[in-house]
Amino acid sequence: MAERALRGMSIGAKSMESEENVDFAPRMIARYYCPNGHLTELPFATDADVPAVWECRCSEEALLQDAVKPEPEKPLKPVRTHWDMLLERRTREELQVLLDERLELLRSGQLRSRRSA
Ligand SMILES: [Zn+2]
């Protein structure tokens, strides 16, 4: 029957939908830590009153640590600094390695005599 099929469809469609796939209004993530070290992250609307205490899954009281607001909208013409361009080419980890290598050479006095490849 067509009617039955339709009903089945609508139930199936609803059950497949989870909250994670719904696009909420602007929101922030509130983080709660309970005394047992559990982290609970909860999304709140940016204009919502975030409770200072939340009941953890272990039923302890988890305290609000911070509420992370989403990044403000970027300006239309962001100014790209040399630092920005550098970060586009290398990750911070890579830069740290390079810096460490250079510092090592500098401290050991090898920097001037060594040519980088
Ligand atoms: Zn807990």
Side-chain angles (χ1 to χ4, degrees):
M1 298 278 276
E3 198 194 340
R4 224 162 144 188
L6 275 176
R7 207 175 285 156
M9 282 272 292
S10 104
I11 290 168
K14 257 180 198 156
S15 70
M16 279 168 66
E17 225 169 358
S18 76
E19 281 196 2
E20 280 170 356
N21 294 327
V22 179
D23 197 14
F24 284 115
R27 59 183 174 171
M28 56 188 168
I29 303 296
R31 294 197 178 98
Y32 296 88
Y33 285 97
C34 87
N36 294 325
H38 299 131
L39 169 63
T40 305
E41 287 186 321
L42 296 164
F44 285 94
T46 47
D47 57 353
D49 276 338
V50 179
V53 177
W54 195 268
E55 192 183 327
C56 182
R57 58 180 178 270
C58 69
S59 82
E60 289 282 350
E61 277 195 346
L63 292 176
L64 177 66
Q65 292 300 304
D66 55 17
V68 183
K69 297 208 176 187
E71 293 285 308
E73 279 187 32
K74 287 182 180 173
L76 289 177
K77 283 186 182 174
V79 179
R80 271 171 88 228
T81 63
H82 286 99
W83 177 241
D84 290 330
M85 290 181 228
L86 191 64
L87 284 178
E88 284 170 17
R89 300 174 71 111
R90 310 235 187 226
T91 66
R92 273 178 180 272
E93 284 78 6
E94 284 171 337
L95 289 170
Q96 187 64 54
V97 169
L98 288 173
L99 181 64
D100 288 345
E101 282 179 2
R102 289 279 111 179
L103 284 174
E104 188 87 9
L105 290 171
L106 189 65
R107 283 171 190 146
S108 63
Q110 295 175 50
L111 195 58
R112 274 178 213 158
S113 57
R114 195 187 131 155
R115 294 275 140 86
S116 58

